[in-house]
Amino acid sequence: MARKRALVVDDEKLIVKGIRFSLEQDDMQVDCAYDGEEALEYARNNQYDIILLDVMLPKLTGFEVCQQIREFSNAPIVMLTAKGEDMDKILGLEYGADDYITKPFNILEVKARIKAIMRRTEPKRIMGEVPSAKVVERRDVRLDCEGRRAFIAGKEIGLTAKEFELLELLMTNPDKVYSRENLLQLVWGQDYPGDVRTVDVHIRRLREKIEQNPSEPQYVHTKWGVGYYFQN
């Protein structure tokens, strides 16, 4: 089995050193970068199972790096944010991050969160909700569930792991309305520490990618006061 590979990005070298040492103890291969430009170069030239990305970086901010990585990679990205900076967390999700960890952190908690995030972002079926179909098709939307690829009218679109899982769940259960709390539990898991704003951000990003007019969606609809559903 291939070793998992991580990219750790922070301009505080002691933090990077500590995370790297700890992850290597778990037999992970770890690359390190100390500014935004270096991080982008690593991300373009390598495939990562997870990227830990600090918000405050020299040359390019973590948000800018995250946004640019999302143009060519769906690797799970975890933003490292300052304690209590809720806006950083929301912005990170807006720019395509999958999760966030708040500083200061305990390295054992970080390792546990990384494992949970990698489990959540690996291809999987949601127990009791998504049958083991290889392809899901509704109207002109097609999902290759094994290859984790999405197509609209035959044209491939790039989705992050969470965007794909949201769309897969909604398409496999068309016209079923899911509350934000339900989606958070099913797609992100019970151990996810975030709140329902995470769902709203990902639904908005998903609509921006699959809808011709995100403000008047054809596929992913809102049932006001209840939740979201895919219209068959």
Side-chain angles (χ1 to χ4, degrees):
M1 186 174 179
R3 294 172 67 192
K4 297 292 186 181
R5 190 170 188 180
L7 174 62
V8 181
V9 188
D10 199 307
D11 61 338
E12 296 186 49
K13 293 189 176 182
L14 281 177
I15 289 178
V16 173
K17 183 178 180 180
I19 295 175
R20 179 177 187 172
F21 176 79
S22 187
L23 296 183
E24 286 177 342
Q25 295 297 107
D26 286 347
D27 199 35
M28 290 186 70
Q29 182 178 348
V30 183
D31 293 331
C32 303
Y34 304 97
D35 63 58
E37 292 181 356
E38 188 180 19
L40 271 178
E41 184 176 356
Y42 269 110
R44 284 196 180 99
N45 294 325
N46 302 281
Q47 295 287 328
Y48 292 104
D49 296 287
I50 195 158
I51 298 173
L52 299 181
L53 181 61
D54 188 36
V55 169
M56 301 300 295
L57 291 171
K59 298 184 180 179
L60 293 172
T61 69
F63 299 134
E64 292 171 315
V65 174
C66 181
Q67 187 177 36
Q68 292 188 47
I69 287 176
R70 280 292 170 253
E71 294 175 3
F72 59 83
S73 172
N74 289 330
I77 297 176
V78 182
M79 304 299 294
L80 305 178
T81 71
K83 187 175 183 179
E85 294 294 330
D86 286 342
M87 186 53 65
D88 281 355
K89 298 167 187 175
I90 297 301
L91 281 174
L93 296 173
E94 290 278 8
Y95 282 112
D98 295 277
D99 207 341
Y100 56 83
I101 295 175
T102 302
K103 292 181 177 182
F105 45 69
N106 180 295
I107 193 62
L108 295 178
E109 293 176 2
V110 171
K111 288 172 67 172
R113 290 283 299 282
I114 287 172
K115 289 178 181 177
I117 291 161
M118 289 196 296
R119 282 198 305 269
R120 291 202 304 266
T121 52
E122 284 176 349
K124 67 178 188 298
R125 297 290 169 262
I126 300 169
M127 190 66 66
E129 294 289 337
V130 180
S132 55
K134 293 182 179 180
V135 174
V136 180
E137 293 187 77
R138 304 287 176 194
R139 294 155 62 187
D140 58 353
V141 184
R142 180 176 181 271
L143 297 184
D144 171 2
C145 299
E146 289 192 342
R148 308 285 283 180
R149 301 170 71 191
F151 303 85
I152 304 287
K155 182 180 179 181
E156 186 168 4
I157 54 173
L159 300 180
T160 67
K162 291 296 116 185
E163 290 164 357
F164 188 95
E165 287 175 19
L166 272 173
L167 186 56
E168 182 184 13
L169 174 61
L170 295 174
M171 284 181 62
T172 308
N173 301 276
D175 298 322
K176 178 176 179 178
V177 181
Y178 288 88
S179 69
R180 296 148 81 211
E181 291 81 5
N182 201 197
L183 289 172
L184 192 69
Q185 183 177 35
L186 287 170
V187 177
W188 278 265
Q190 293 184 344
D191 60 342
Y192 181 66
D195 57 38
V196 292
R197 291 178 297 180
T198 300
V199 175
D200 296 332
V201 170
H202 280 77
I203 289 288
R204 182 164 64 251
R205 289 181 57 82
L206 179 60
R207 283 173 170 162
E208 288 171 354
K209 294 180 178 181
I210 70 171
E211 306 282 2
Q212 283 192 334
N213 183 357
S215 62
E216 297 179 6
Q218 302 177 56
Y219 308 113
V220 178
H221 290 258
T222 301
K223 186 77 169 179
W224 295 108
V226 183
Y228 299 105
Y229 66 99
F230 187 96
Q231 187 174 73
N232 201 7

